[in-house]
Amino acid sequence: MKLSERRTGGRRGRSERSGGKISQLPWRVVENPFDPVNAATPEQIEAIHTSSMRVLSELGIRVMAEAG
């Protein structure tokens, strides 16, 4: 097999066939323009915590700290 008959593959083969590289954008600090999203109210978080402590205690796991 001649060198010119060899198949090329991988990234280099594709980039050579496509005619060039993708230009890299200049580096910059990315800023999030959006406000944080509150997925739950403080009361809902407390209910989740209370329920999780109950599940853990019913499974026999001792919780050393006080809830709350």
Side-chain angles (χ1 to χ4, degrees), residues 44-59:
Q44 291 169 327
I45 293 172
E46 182 63 31
I48 292 169
H49 174 72
T50 303
S51 298
S52 64
M53 297 300 282
R54 183 180 57 82
V55 168
L56 289 173
S57 67
E58 289 176 3
L59 290 175

Side-chain angles (χ1 to χ4, degrees), residues 11-36:
R11 290 184 212 161
R12 186 170 55 182
R14 282 191 291 276
S15 68
E16 288 172 0
R17 286 191 299 270
S18 68
K21 298 179 181 177
I22 298 172
S23 60
Q24 178 70 42
L25 293 174
W27 186 87
R28 64 185 178 104
V29 175
V30 178
E31 295 181 19
N32 183 0
F34 303 105
D35 292 332

